[in-house]
Amino acid sequence: MPETIRKITQAEAIREALEQAMTEDERVILIGEGVPDPKGVFGTTSGLQERFGMARVFDMPLAENGMTGICIGAAISGMRPVMVHQRIDFALLCMDQLVNNAAKWHYMFAGQASVPLVVRVIVGRGWGQGPQHAQSLQAMFAHVPGLKVVMPSSGYDAKGMLLAAIRDDNPVIFIEHRWLHGIIDEVPTMPYTVQLDKAAIRRHGKDATIAAFSFMVVEALLAAKALADLGIDLEVIDARAVRPLDMTTIIESVTRTGTLIVADTSWKTGGIAGEVVAGVTETAFNSLRRPPLRVALPDIPAPTSPHLTKDYYPDALHLARAIVNHLGATIPDAELVSRLSRSTPHDIPQREFCGPF
Amino acid sequence: MKHLLISRIESLYHTMLRIRRVEEAIAGHYPMQEMRCPVHLSIGQEAVAAGVCAALRQQDGVFSNHRAHAHYLAKGGSLTAMLAEIYGKAEGCCKGIGGSMHMIDLAAGFLGAVPIVGATVPLAVGAAWAAKLRGEDKVITVFFGDGTFEEGAVYESINFAVLHRLPVLFVCENNLYACYTRLSTRQPDRPIHTVATACGCKAVTADGNDALAVFDAASSAVADLRAGGYPVFLECSTYRWREHCGPNMDDDLDYRPKTEVAAWKAACPVSRLAKILGTLDEGQNFMAHAEREISAEINTAFAGALAGGIPQQTDLPGYLYA
Ligand SMILES: Cc1ncc(C[n+]2csc(CCOP(=O)(O)OP(=O)(O)O)c2C)c(N)n1
Ligand SMILES: [Mg+2]
């Protein structure tokens, strides 16, 4: 089959990765609440039970912790389970199994068994998802040695990294973002992999490095484009991996730009942005021309009311303002506002969206 | 005796009709895109909330889940505060922080509802434990679905409640589905309440579309609990009419047999009592009056909620710690 590239949504790219992984390896099984239902986990699992049958694609009881252990048991016994949770918040119930067993099985039994498990978790946002349905918990997972944690932003990477995660012999936490699912990208039809431990430079620039995670890559690129018109040339790095963090790419960039700005989808305190800052200051302190800056969520849980979420999530405009301020540039705010004000309500990903998630 | 029964029927009917009309009004307003949060409507399941809460006193506590509107209203939660919350207003029961999935009205004994499935079941046991330790004359009820019964924390909670003989009523609303997934895909073929029995919990069942039957079952459970008896597990069979989350019907998705949907709609809990009341002149008058009174109340409450203030982001950090 000739290699073709076409434009599909990230949700479709994820679905395609699952389909190709199940085709190439019969040990791959897929399980999660709602996997075979008419909504198919936001379209990411649609049609897979029809294609691969009831013996490989499963719905599951609402029993996240026990089911995680059951998947780990299957993984150490010759299967390669892919588990999915519609919100990352629900995976908090799995923490005991993930942290105590999945992350340590290979290590504590001195390499005699491994856990080839992928746990897909989706970060919710918008339309009043609120305190228990909109958390972005990458730092909690990334704190745990033995887990691999990734957060692709592009559809191309989502497909390639999911295929790589399923082929990997270790537990991988695969973090998706609900606002990325609908974004269209050029994705090859054939199976391919993208490394699980490598950041990507999305835009080259000389004035400052922005290391961004997940949906913040979208916002960072918007901000960079607008600021380019105004004379600020930003380098945008898509971190892609959360554990292990690809500090090499980030440090190499900072040594050229002299400025580090980290844009994260989660809370500031104890977050992954702080880890990036620590890594740069430990090894490339002398390259820094000014203090590093973290652009992250305020240290409060997501509220529900749209009146309260208005400035909760930093978007491209917030980011651009923070950058201008940090660089001490003299750009009138009106210039930023005219270029970066959203034309859609702040709490929905696309204009067509009319709730609920 | 007969008069007592009629006034009981009238009161249950009123509670259910009020829930039904509120939920219909929410569904009607939702497309205007001003209620910007998920909503899980209780239409079709009103009898469980009405029957159980009629057996409770104001000081008794209730916990609930994502589908909380009916429980909150039946326990006496403020309608205006609930609507204001769904509209994200400062006067909402969580000042806009929670939305539809986070209901609370402490004055009414509605102790909290959150959307993490199973999250409030242990809390109810803890509240019952505290009541017992403090010597308070209180019963705690928790409402949860058939899907929630699959969560490990539920078994752990029942075990502790039985072990310590706590005054807690577990109410399982078995509507046969968790989102779009049928019970038979998630649990083996055995009645849910028998599992509670196996945990050593007293378990009873009621037709969850018959408010009188639910009331009778809940009343005798609550009487037992007040007398220091063992916790009770009440399984009520019922059915959700609309989509799992959102204001619409979703029968086009074809995940439930059309005959099943039709049969449950024919067993409408509100019509069931309306039929009884309709045979009496007094009952007919009561229903006509209830319809008018509720409609006026809902109009006022929506107007009040919509006129509410804008919550301030600067207030949020102040709520983080006590
Ligand atoms: C821990 C957790 N897992 C999954 C979900 C997603 N979820 C929300 S409601 C629901 C179904 C609940 O079913 P049931 O308990 O039967 O209540 P019903 O919706 O039928 O009233 C699910 C799976 C969640 N909110 N929390
Ligand atoms: Mg249910």
Side-chain angles (χ1 to χ4, degrees), chain B residues 45 67 145-148 173-179 186 240:
Chain B
Q45 306 188 185
R67 198 177 305 288
D146 51 298
T148 307
E173 289 181 276
N174 181 357
N175 64 5
L176 296 173
Y177 292 83
C179 307
R186 309 179 332 255
R240 150 175 68 76

Side-chain angles (χ1 to χ4, degrees), chain A residues 33-39 59-65 86-87 89-90 93 126-133 135 299-313 345-348 351-357, chain B residues 30 33-39 85 87-89 95-102 114-117 119 147-152 178-181 185-187 243 245-247 253-255 309-314 316-317 320:
Chain A
E33 291 160 20
V35 158
D37 82 15
K39 300 274 173 99
D59 212 315
M60 71 174 216
L62 312 190
E64 292 82 3
N65 191 39
Q86 307 214 8
R87 292 284 182 285
D89 317 65
F90 310 159
L93 279 72
W127 202 267
Q129 294 296 294
Q132 297 184 336
H133 276 55
Q135 298 171 87
D299 280 334
I300 45 174
T304 292
S305 167
H307 303 297
L308 295 172
T309 52
K310 226 176 193 109
D311 295 308
Y312 181 75
Y313 294 101
H346 78 278
D347 62 342
I348 59 171
R351 188 177 303 283
E352 309 78 54
F353 184 86
C354 57
F357 272 118
Chain B
Y30 200 81
Q33 311 237 316
E34 288 170 16
M35 299 173 165
R36 300 175 85 84
C37 64
V39 287
E85 188 59 34
Y87 276 112
K89 300 289 187 158
K95 303 192 192 305
I97 297 171
S100 157
M101 305 196 292
H102 302 256
V114 294
I116 293 295
V117 158
T148 307
F149 191 66
E150 290 144 26
E151 295 286 0
C179 307
Y180 308 91
T181 305
T185 308
R186 309 179 332 255
Q187 294 181 33
E243 59 189 338
C245 176
L253 295 177
D254 240 12
Y255 66 102
I310 304 294
Q312 298 303 312
Q313 279 171 270
T314 46
L316 292 176
L320 199 53

Side-chain angles (χ1 to χ4, degrees), chain A residues 251-281:
Chain A
I251 288 168
E252 188 278 324
S253 171
V254 173
T255 53
R256 281 185 284 107
T257 64
T259 297
L260 173 67
I261 294 156
V262 191
D264 189 16
T265 55
S266 192
W267 302 301
K268 191 168 184 176
T269 300
I272 202 68
E275 197 56 36
V276 173
V277 167
V280 169
T281 48

Side-chain angles (χ1 to χ4, degrees), chain A residues 53-301:
Chain A
M54 313 266 279
R56 292 186 67 196
V57 179
F58 303 85
D59 212 315
M60 71 174 216
L62 312 190
E64 292 82 3
N65 191 39
M67 289 309 305
T68 304
I70 288 165
C71 287
I72 296 169
I76 59 176
S77 311
M79 306 304 289
R80 302 183 83 83
V82 178
M83 192 179 201
V84 52
H85 302 283
Q86 307 214 8
R87 292 284 182 285
I88 195 170
D89 317 65
F90 310 159
L92 286 172
L93 279 72
C94 318
M95 275 307 206
D96 163 48
Q97 285 294 339
L98 290 173
V99 176
N100 282 321
N101 282 338
K104 298 177 178 62
W105 206 261
H106 185 264
Y107 172 81
M108 67 190 172
F109 295 119
Q112 298 177 77
S114 60
V115 183
L117 168 71
V118 175
V119 183
R120 290 179 51 209
V121 286
I122 300 164
V123 175
R125 172 176 161 180
W127 202 267
Q129 294 296 294
Q132 297 184 336
H133 276 55
Q135 298 171 87
S136 200
L137 300 170
Q138 56 270 26
M140 281 177 84
F141 291 104
H143 187 56
V144 182
L147 297 179
K148 293 187 177 183
V149 185
V150 296
M151 277 187 120
S153 76
S154 73
Y156 180 94
D157 284 350
K159 176 176 170 181
M161 292 176 87
L162 185 51
L163 274 162
I166 295 171
R167 289 181 195 175
D168 198 285
D169 284 332
N170 299 288
V172 180
I173 310 299
F174 188 89
I175 305 177
E176 302 164 26
H177 195 290
R178 192 65 190 91
W179 283 30
L180 292 170
H181 275 162
I183 294 182
I184 287 169
D185 193 20
E186 294 188 345
V187 179
T189 51
M190 300 295 283
Y192 61 93
T193 58
V194 171
Q195 271 176 270
L196 299 176
D197 55 0
K198 192 94 188 73
I201 300 181
R202 296 290 181 216
R203 184 183 194 285
H204 291 273
K206 59 176 180 8
D207 294 334
T209 299
I210 306 188
F213 288 84
S214 183
F215 188 72
M216 288 312 285
V217 175
V218 174
E219 304 285 14
L221 286 169
L222 286 172
K225 187 161 177 276
L227 289 175
D229 293 346
L230 300 165
I232 298 179
D233 187 18
L234 297 171
E235 178 140 313
V236 178
I237 295 180
D238 178 349
R240 297 202 285 201
V242 187
R243 184 184 191 98
L245 268 172
D246 176 11
M247 287 309 300
T248 312
T249 301
I250 297 171
I251 288 168
E252 188 278 324
S253 171
V254 173
T255 53
R256 281 185 284 107
T257 64
T259 297
L260 173 67
I261 294 156
V262 191
D264 189 16
T265 55
S266 192
W267 302 301
K268 191 168 184 176
T269 300
I272 202 68
E275 197 56 36
V276 173
V277 167
V280 169
T281 48
E282 276 174 346
T283 44
F285 187 73
N286 292 332
S287 321
L288 289 169
R289 282 193 278 124
R290 48 175 70 79
L293 176 70
R294 289 175 288 173
V295 178
L297 301 187
D299 280 334
I300 45 174

